Amino acid sequence: MKSIATLTMNPTIDISYDVGKVQHTHKMRTDNEHYAPGGGGINVARVFVRLGGHARCFYLSGGATGPALDGLIDLHQLVRTRIAIEGPTRIAADILEHDTGKEYRFTPAGPQVSESEWQDCLDQLAEADCDVLVMSGSLPPGVPDDYYARVARLMRKRGCDVVLDSSGKALEAGIAEGGLLLVKPSQGELQQYAGRKLEDVDAIGAAAMEIVEAGKARLVAVTMGHEGAVLARAEGPVFLPALKIDAASAVGAGDSFVAAMVHALCRGGDELEAFRRGMAAGSAAVLRAGTDLARPDDIEQMLERIAPL
């Protein structure tokens, strides 16, 4: 079983709670308060470890909120390498309104990161002992757009496979660097990257295949929310429709997808089975409100409902 490391440049303390009705001005009493360590790579590590794998989290942490994030990561018993920064770790809120069943999500941009701080992160990664590095999430202010590309270049020289899940210029630069094991954009993120409308499965598959055929990534998995997902690989694109479930939350679906797919690949599973497991985990993550992410029992239940490819 291969081990992974995850990189989270812009982690969060995720707070979730429920409220009867969202109203401006009024003080709203909440219940079901829950705190969790968050951000793309940390979320991936949480699910990967639940599935029985070994993961080390590399992440930035600072300010008065930094120690709280560190403590939450320790509560989840994750192996961690903290890169200290001056700016405060951001806090994201997820609010479920009981009256409507709607979910409200508030996510700050994140702290300003200095060149010496992001360079320290590169230096720490140069000592990472892992088979696969998962780079996931947004880049905070101050970090160059090509940062993930720089990390990918560094890790590939050390014989490490690299997975990328980001958006905008960070995604564009990472793909341009190439040599990736897996890229996991959403439909909207792939559309922005391609610079054109991708209105159906065929268009999405064609855009994803352009990345594969250019040798930039071995696999491109495109998540499409309630529509399903597309996997592009050398043999061509394949599509899986979304399961019909009552979604309670959208938090962590993409990260759970990545964790389960990478876990299957690390166990030596074939690409199609890894894709199915990613789909199952993404579906499992939305079954419950809040920030708990996918659970192994739920993943297995979802997997039984996905037809073999």
Side-chain angles (χ1 to χ4, degrees):
M1 175 70 179
K2 295 181 178 180
S3 65
I4 72 165
T6 67
L7 174 60
T8 312
M9 295 298 294
N10 205 6
T12 61
I13 296 171
D14 285 336
I15 301 175
S16 65
Y17 40 77
D18 302 348
V19 65
K21 182 178 181 180
V22 175
Q23 304 177 75
H24 69 83
T25 308
H26 294 277
K27 182 183 290 186
M28 294 168 285
R29 300 294 182 181
T30 66
D31 56 23
N32 197 27
E33 186 175 3
H34 182 72
Y35 295 85
I42 291 172
N43 287 342
V44 169
R46 285 170 58 189
V47 176
F48 192 89
V49 169
R50 285 177 184 174
L51 293 171
H54 175 76
R56 174 176 287 275
C57 301
F58 288 81
Y59 66 98
L60 309 188
S61 172
T65 48
L69 174 64
D70 303 338
L72 287 169
I73 291 174
D74 289 341
L75 284 176
H76 283 259
Q77 298 182 324
L78 298 176
V79 180
R80 62 181 177 91
T81 297
R82 171 184 180 266
I83 293 87
I85 62 172
E86 183 176 350
T89 297
R90 60 183 180 162
I91 300 174
D94 180 79
I95 303 164
L96 176 66
E97 184 182 47
H98 281 303
D99 283 6
T100 63
K102 291 182 178 179
E103 183 181 50
Y104 296 87
R105 301 169 67 184
F106 301 89
T107 305
Q112 185 75 25
V113 176
S114 69
E115 180 176 352
S116 63
E117 290 168 343
W118 59 252
Q119 183 60 54
D120 184 25
C121 184
L122 280 177
D123 294 341
Q124 296 276 359
L125 288 167
E127 303 298 323
D129 181 17
C130 62
D131 301 298
V132 180
L133 175 71
V134 180
M135 308 182 298
S136 182
S138 63
L139 295 175
V143 177
D145 293 335
D146 69 343
Y147 192 79
Y148 285 144
R150 300 186 194 196
V151 174
R153 192 178 313 132
L154 171 70
M155 301 307 290
R156 286 203 328 275
K157 288 180 180 178
R158 304 185 66 244
C160 183
D161 285 324
V162 180
V163 174
L164 175 62
D165 181 9
S166 192
S167 60
K169 293 181 179 179
L171 174 66
E172 182 179 347
I175 293 175
E177 173 65 25
L180 302 169
L181 169 63
L182 168 67
V183 179
K184 206 291 299 167
S186 67
Q187 179 179 352
E189 290 163 350
L190 181 63
Q191 184 168 274
Q192 182 182 8
Y193 169 80
R196 63 181 188 272
K197 287 282 188 181
L198 303 174
E199 297 180 341
D200 56 33
V201 171
D202 289 340
I204 292 167
M209 283 302 299
E210 290 173 8
I211 299 172
V212 173
E213 290 168 351
K216 300 301 184 182
R218 180 179 136 198
L219 303 169
V220 179
V222 187
T223 50
M224 303 160 55
H226 67 278
E227 297 294 329
V230 171
L231 176 68
R233 58 192 186 121
E235 294 81 358
V238 293
F239 169 70
L240 278 175
L243 296 176
K244 295 187 183 300
I245 56 177
D246 292 326
S249 172
V251 177
D255 298 329
S256 296
F257 181 107
V258 170
M261 186 167 180
V262 171
H263 182 265
L265 292 172
C266 286
R267 292 180 60 189
D270 67 67
E271 298 159 358
L272 296 181
E273 180 60 19
F275 181 45
R276 289 181 67 245
R277 288 192 170 273
M279 280 289 293
S283 299
V286 305
L287 291 175
R288 297 179 177 84
T291 58
D292 190 44
L293 307 177
R295 291 278 177 180
D297 289 348
D298 292 333
I299 294 173
E300 292 303 319
Q301 289 179 18
M302 295 297 103
L303 189 63
E304 292 176 0
R305 297 172 55 186
I306 300 174
L309 290 168

